[in-house]
Amino acid sequence: MKHILSILLLAGACIEVSAQKEVDLAFQADSVVLEEVIVTSQQREQRILDIPITLSTLSAKMLENTATRNLEQLSALVPGLNIRIQTPHRPTFVIRGVTSDEVNLTDQPRVSVYYNQVPTSRSSMAITELYDLERVEVLKGPQGTLFGRGAYLGVLNFITQKPKADFGGYVSAGLGNYNMREVQGAINVPILKNKLLVRAAGIYSYQDGYVKNLSGGDNLNGKNTFGGRFSATYRPIEDLKIDLLVNYQKDDNPGTAFMSKLYPNSKGEKDIFKYEASLDPGQTWFNKRDVLLSSLNIKYDITENSYLTSITSLVNNKVDHHYDGDGTVAPALDMTEFYDMQQFTQELRYNFSLNDELSGLFGTGYWRESGDYSWGFDPNEKYAVFPVWNIVKGYFPDWTSSIYPQLYGTPLIAANGKANYLDFLPGSFSGSATDVPLPSDHHEQINNGAISQAFDFFADATYQIIDNLSITAGLRATYESFEAKRNVSNNGIPSALGVLMQMSPNLFSAPIDFPDISNAAWAVTYRAGLKYDFSPQSNVYFTYSRGHRPAVLQYNNDATTANPAKKEVLNAEGVHSLDAGFKWTAQNRYWFDAGVFFQKYNDFQTARLDNTTMGYVTDDAGKATSYGAEVTAKAALSSYLDVFGNYAYIHARFDDTDADGNPQQYAGKTFRLTPEHSFDIGFTAKYNFNSDVQLLFTPAYSWKSHVWFEDSNDRQMPGLDQDAYGLLNANLALHLAKYGLTISAFGSNLTGTKYVIGAGNTGLIFGVPTFVPGAPRMFGGQVKYNF
C-alpha cells in the first residue's frame, strides 16, 4: 500500500471537477498543460480550488479513454465510491461505506443520483447507460443544503451533453465476446440560430448472459437495453434560457444468476465460477425495467450577477422481476417483485453575487413520490418444507454432514399425495404430527403502497473575509410526510406450512386487516466551512455538515394472525461529518487533491433479514463511526504520457454501545460493501504518427480489500464476504482526425479474476444463501465516427 501511495504522490494530481460547459480533460500533446476549469458544485460558477468540498468529476474524455462502459467500472475511478449491480433494476451506491438500502417504500436514499440537477429518489430510477455524457460529478459527505434532503451522504450527478450551436454528432458500433453488440449515436441540430438548439442521442446494448442455465432458457446475467434522450435549448430573449430534457431507458434483461454453493447443479458442480446454474425447470427468469425522466429548466438573468432558476421534473419507473430465491433446481422459492413509481419535483432558486465578496443562493422546493410495490411468492411446499423449518426452529445445519442437503432436493410426497413432513424434520415440534397435503401451487402476494412528500426552504452563501480566507455556510429546513398501506392476497389455495409460521392460510404474511399508517416531521440540515488560500494554486479547507435521513415508517416486524399489524416508526438517522482537505496545482500540469473525514452516526438505519416477515426490514442499529482518507492524482508528464490514480482508506464500524451505554447487536462490525482499502491506478500512453493519426493505450488496475455483504458480518454462514481482489481493464484506441474516426479495442477483467458481487439475498432467510458471480473476462472492439 505504501508503494501505491508513493506512486500517486509522484504522479501529481487528478483533476476531478465539475463544469457548466463541456470540459475536456485531455492533455494537449504539444503544450502539455491542463485546461482552465470552472465548477458549479455549489450551484454557481467557481474554480475547483474555490470549493471547500470533497468532490470528483469524470469527463467524457476520461470515460472514453478508459473504455468505462458500466457503473461498476466508473466507481473504480472515484475514491470512496463503490457501486454494485447484481440486479439491473436495483444498483447499490456506496459512498464512504454507507449504502442506500431501500427496504420500504418510505425508506429514503442516503446517496442521491441526479441527472442535470434533477433528483431520482431511489436506485430503481437510475438511468445506468453511460452514453453522450459531458461529465459525472461525485460529491461526498452531507450535501443537503445544496442538493436536497436525499443527498444525505453524497451525490452522483450525471451531466448529459447539451445542444450546441453547430451541426454535428457521432455514431458508433461495437462487437465483443458473449455476443456483445452495441450501437449508439447522437446528432446536434441548430433549428434557429442562437435561438433554438436540439440534440438527440440513443443507445442499444446487448450481451448474452455469462451464466448458463442448465435447466433451459436464456443465459443469466445478460443485457438487452435501449436508451434514448432528447434535449432542447430555447432562448426567446437574451436573458431567458429554457432547457428541456427527456431521458428514457428500457431494460429487457434475462434473469439474475442467484446460485447456491450448498447444493450442486445438475452436473453435480457446486463451484459457481463454472458459470453454470440449475434453476427451476420450466421457468422464465427476467429483469424488466422502464424509466422515463423529463425535466424543464428555466433560467432568467435579472442582472449580470443575479438570476432566477426553476427546475421541474417528472420520473416514471416500472420494474418487473422474476427470480429463483434458493438458487437450486428444486422449485422451493419462486419469487417475483413489481414496482410502479412516480416522482415529481419543483425547485425555485435565486442566485446572487455582491462585490466579489458575497455570493450565494436561496430558494424553496417540493418533492412528491407515489408508488406501489408488490412481492410475490410461489413455493412448492413439497420442497420448501425444510427451509421453512429452518426459520421456525432457527436450525442451520452443518452443510457438509447434515441430512438437510440430502433431503432438500427430494419432494416429500408419498404415493397418496400426502407427507408426514414433521417426521422428517430435525429436532422436535410441539403438537401431533399427522399426514397433511403439501401444495405445489400456493401463491401469495404482499402489496405495498406509499405517498411521500417534502417541502424545502434553503439558503447557502460564501463570504470573503479577507483576501486569503473565506467562509461558506448553508441551511435547509424540510417538512416531510409519509403515508403507507398494505394488503395481502392469495390464489385461494391454502399453505400447509403456514401453521408453522402462524400465518395460515398464508405462509409469508398473515391475511389480516392492515390499517393505513402515516408520519410527519420537520428536519434541519446545515453546513459551515472555511477555506484558506496559500496561493492561487493551493489551499486548505475545513467543513462541518449535518446530514439527516428521515424516520422510517413501516409495519411492525411480528405481525401474525394472532398479533395484528401495528405502526412502527424508526428514529430519523443523523450524521455529524467533518471534512478537511488540501488542493494543489503546479505549472498547469500537476493536480493533487487529498482529504480526511470523520463521521458520527446516531440511529443508524440498516437492512436486516427478518425471519418473521420473511424478508428484509429496516432496523435501528444504534451508533456508528467512520473515518478515513482519500487521495486523487493526475499529471501530464510529457506529450506522450499521462498518469492518474486514486486511493481511499475507510474505517467504518458500529460502535460498541448505544446512546444509553448498552451493548449493540452489531458492536464492532464493519459496514457492508465497504473495503477498508481501495485504489485505482493507470496511464495513457500516446504516440502521434503525424498530426492526423494518434494511438492511445490506457490500462487501469483497480483493487479492493475484503468486504462483507451483510452488516451482521455473519461468519457462521460461509461465503457472505469477498476477499481482496483486483481487476485489470485496458483500452487501445487509434484516432484518425482527418476522417473523424476512432477505432478501439477494449477489455475488462483481463486477468479473469473470480469474485462475487452479491451474497446472501432472499435465500439467506431460509439458511440457503445465494451468490452472484462477477463478470468474467470481457473484450470487444468499436468504431466511432464523429461528424
Side-chain angles (χ1 to χ4, degrees):
M1 197 59 60
K2 292 181 179 179
H3 296 299
I4 297 301
L5 284 174
S6 298
I7 293 173
L8 291 173
L9 291 172
L10 289 173
C14 177
I15 275 193
E16 300 203 346
V17 297
S18 54
Q20 188 173 33
K21 300 180 180 180
E22 181 179 6
V23 177
D24 186 355
L25 296 186
F27 300 103
Q28 301 176 17
D30 53 351
S31 57
V32 198
V33 297
L34 301 177
E35 294 183 334
E36 178 77 18
V37 175
I38 302 300
V39 300
T40 56
S41 296
Q42 296 189 129
Q43 312 291 1
R44 51 192 182 271
E45 294 186 12
Q46 297 170 285
R47 299 187 312 154
I48 185 173
L49 291 174
D50 296 333
I51 307 297
I53 295 175
T54 304
L55 64 94
S56 303
T57 295
L58 304 173
S59 70
K61 191 67 175 179
M62 182 66 170
L63 297 177
E64 181 178 359
N65 283 350
T66 56
T68 298
R69 302 179 62 245
N70 56 57
L71 291 177
E72 292 99 325
Q73 292 173 331
L74 180 148
S75 68
L77 300 174
V78 179
L81 174 65
N82 188 15
I83 301 177
R84 292 291 182 101
I85 303 179
Q86 67 171 7
T87 54
H89 69 281
R90 190 179 288 175
T92 301
F93 300 96
V94 188
I95 288 183
R96 291 179 173 174
V98 178
T99 65
S100 280
D101 293 318
E102 299 161 9
V103 176
N104 297 283
L105 287 179
T106 60
D107 287 352
Q108 298 305 298
R110 291 188 177 105
V111 177
S112 283
V113 178
Y114 278 68
Y115 295 89
N116 298 341
Q117 313 300 325
V118 172
T120 57
S121 59
R122 58 189 61 248
S123 60
S124 64
M125 296 179 178
I127 293 176
T128 55
E129 289 303 298
L130 306 177
Y131 69 101
D132 202 38
L133 292 176
E134 179 180 304
R135 67 188 184 275
V136 181
E137 303 174 355
V138 182
L139 289 80
K140 302 162 194 171
Q143 303 296 333
T145 60
L146 293 173
F147 283 86
R149 50 183 295 285
Y152 171 67
L153 277 175
V155 171
L156 277 79
N157 191 18
F158 293 87
I159 308 297
T160 63
Q161 291 285 358
K162 306 297 191 302
K164 298 177 176 59
D166 300 320
F167 176 83
Y170 74 92
V171 61
S172 71
L175 297 172
N177 64 337
Y178 293 95
N179 200 25
M180 187 274 281
R181 306 188 296 271
E182 182 177 286
V183 178
Q184 63 170 289
I187 185 169
N188 194 90
V189 181
I191 304 297
L192 297 174
K193 185 177 181 180
N194 299 326
K195 289 286 187 180
L196 178 60
L197 313 173
V198 299
R199 186 179 184 91
I203 186 172
Y204 173 71
S205 184
Y206 175 89
Q207 192 162 31
D208 287 342
Y210 57 84
V211 176
K212 182 179 181 179
N213 186 4
L214 298 175
S215 299
D218 294 334
N219 286 358
L220 307 168
N221 291 17
K223 184 180 183 182
N224 185 23
T225 295
F226 166 78
R229 184 181 301 133
F230 175 81
S231 53
T233 296
Y234 179 50
R235 286 187 179 272
I237 58 176
E238 183 178 355
D239 295 331
L240 181 62
K241 180 183 177 185
I242 302 172
D243 289 311
L244 171 69
L245 173 70
V246 180
N247 209 354
Y248 175 72
Q249 181 172 317
K250 179 179 180 62
D251 301 318
D252 190 5
N253 300 328
T256 299
F258 294 106
M259 302 171 68
S260 175
K261 290 184 177 181
L262 172 59
Y263 302 105
N265 61 22
S266 58
K267 290 184 175 180
E269 182 62 63
K270 297 181 182 180
D271 182 2
I272 66 173
F273 294 110
K274 298 292 185 180
Y275 302 105
E276 291 182 325
S278 292
L279 306 188
D280 300 356
Q283 297 289 349
T284 301
W285 313 107
F286 53 79
N287 290 287
K288 298 182 179 181
R289 184 177 71 131
D290 284 83
V291 181
L292 177 62
L293 184 154
S294 304
S295 65
L296 186 66
N297 188 323
I298 302 174
K299 179 174 177 266
Y300 178 70
D301 295 324
I302 300 173
T303 68
E304 183 180 355
N305 298 313
S306 65
Y307 57 90
L308 285 170
T309 304
S310 169
I311 303 177
T312 308
S313 74
L314 181 64
V315 183
N316 291 280
N317 171 219
K318 289 187 177 181
V319 169
D320 193 2
H321 183 208
H322 186 201
Y323 64 101
D324 186 343
D326 58 284
T328 74
V329 71
L333 307 175
D334 189 353
M335 318 290 291
T336 58
E337 59 179 339
F338 181 80
Y339 281 98
D340 189 357
M341 311 292 297
Q342 299 83 39
Q343 175 195 274
F344 172 80
T345 66
Q346 173 64 59
E347 180 176 288
L348 295 173
R349 186 173 70 237
Y350 174 71
N351 286 69
F352 63 90
S353 179
L354 302 175
N355 301 323
D356 295 327
E357 293 182 352
L358 177 66
S359 61
L361 59 91
F362 60 85
T364 184
Y366 172 68
W367 167 83
R368 185 182 192 273
E369 180 193 77
S370 62
D372 297 291
Y373 170 54
S374 299
W375 183 63
F377 181 57
D378 294 83
N380 183 331
E381 297 192 12
K382 297 178 179 64
Y383 296 87
V385 56
F386 286 100
V388 169
W389 181 255
N390 277 354
I391 300 301
V392 177
K393 301 300 290 184
Y395 174 77
F396 296 102
D398 181 339
W399 288 9
T400 59
S401 62
S402 170
I403 188 176
Y404 181 73
Q406 303 171 36
L407 295 179
Y408 182 77
T410 305
L412 299 183
I413 182 169
N416 62 357
K418 298 182 179 181
N420 188 351
Y421 61 92
L422 296 179
D423 289 345
F424 289 91
L425 297 177
S428 60
F429 178 77
S430 59
S432 60
T434 59
D435 289 341
V436 295
L438 295 173
S440 61
D441 50 0
H442 169 73
H443 168 81
E444 65 185 77
Q445 187 163 299
I446 303 173
N447 304 301
N448 298 280
I451 296 177
S452 306
Q453 299 182 84
F455 298 88
D456 287 324
F457 303 94
F458 57 88
D460 195 273
T462 297
Y463 178 68
Q464 196 75 30
I465 302 174
I466 57 177
D467 288 344
N468 293 348
L469 182 65
S470 62
I471 183 171
T472 298
L475 177 73
R476 182 179 291 257
T478 304
Y479 179 75
E480 303 160 322
S481 65
F482 304 93
E483 301 174 13
K485 61 182 180 180
R486 172 180 290 181
N487 65 75
V488 178
S489 60
N490 61 45
N491 62 351
I493 299 175
S495 164
L497 300 179
V499 65
L500 297 175
M501 303 298 298
Q502 302 181 50
M503 299 290 183
S504 294
N506 287 346
L507 177 58
F508 266 7
S509 185
I512 60 179
D513 184 18
F514 288 88
D516 293 351
I517 55 178
S518 62
N519 189 56
W522 278 94
V524 176
T525 59
Y526 43 85
R527 70 166 184 152
L530 289 171
K531 179 179 67 70
Y532 180 78
D533 297 316
F534 295 111
S535 71
Q537 289 77 40
S538 64
N539 66 51
V540 293
Y541 64 89
F542 177 85
T543 303
Y544 163 75
S545 52
R546 183 186 185 278
H548 163 83
R549 193 187 196 198
V552 175
L553 176 68
Q554 62 183 2
Y555 291 93
N556 70 320
N557 298 339
D558 57 352
T560 65
T561 305
N563 183 19
K566 300 176 183 177
K567 168 182 174 180
E568 180 179 60
V569 178
L570 295 182
N571 292 336
E573 179 183 321
V575 62
H576 296 275
S577 179
L578 299 174
D579 273 81
F582 171 71
K583 297 177 182 180
W584 168 81
T585 180
Q587 304 172 16
N588 292 328
R589 295 176 56 185
Y590 306 99
W591 288 82
F592 183 81
D593 189 346
V596 295
F597 65 90
F598 178 85
Q599 295 172 332
K600 193 72 176 177
Y601 302 87
N602 59 276
D603 298 303
F604 192 95
Q605 298 167 6
T606 184
R608 176 178 59 82
L609 280 168
D610 184 75
N611 293 344
T612 303
T613 59
M614 299 297 190
Y616 282 90
V617 297
T618 305
D619 204 2
D620 188 339
K623 296 166 57 181
T625 303
S626 68
Y627 55 84
E630 297 158 338
V631 178
T632 58
K634 191 167 187 175
L637 296 182
S638 73
S639 60
Y640 303 103
L641 183 64
D642 306 336
V643 295
F644 59 88
N646 69 66
Y647 166 76
Y649 166 70
I650 301 173
H651 184 278
R653 304 283 193 275
F654 292 96
D655 293 354
D656 291 336
T657 58
D658 61 20
D660 298 322
N662 301 314
Q664 295 192 149
Q665 180 182 4
Y666 294 155
K669 305 293 187 182
T670 300
F671 291 2
R672 63 188 293 261
L673 297 178
T674 304
E676 189 166 9
H677 300 277
S678 62
F679 69 83
D680 180 77
I681 191 164
F683 64 84
T684 297
K686 299 174 286 186
Y687 181 75
N688 298 325
F689 292 94
N690 54 50
S691 59
D692 292 323
V693 181
Q694 184 185 52
L695 184 67
L696 282 77
F697 177 56
T698 307
Y701 180 76
S702 61
W703 182 89
K704 291 179 172 63
S705 62
H706 175 273
V707 299
W708 291 99
F709 289 104
E710 299 289 338
D711 285 331
S712 61
N713 296 182
D714 194 343
R715 298 183 183 274
Q716 296 180 352
M717 280 287 182
L720 296 185
D721 58 343
Q722 169 62 54
D723 290 334
Y725 70 96
L727 299 176
L728 175 64
N729 302 331
N731 185 44
L732 179 67
L734 179 66
H735 295 293
L736 305 174
K738 182 177 179 179
Y739 304 101
L741 284 176
T742 299
I743 304 171
S744 61
F746 54 84
S748 60
N749 191 11
L750 291 174
T751 58
T753 298
K754 297 176 180 180
Y755 64 102
V756 174
I757 59 174
N761 306 303
T762 305
L764 182 59
I765 309 170
F766 302 90
V768 286
T770 59
F771 304 83
V772 181
R777 183 184 297 108
M778 301 281 188
F779 55 85
Q782 178 179 273
V783 177
K784 181 179 181 181
Y785 172 60
N786 292 283
F787 59 89

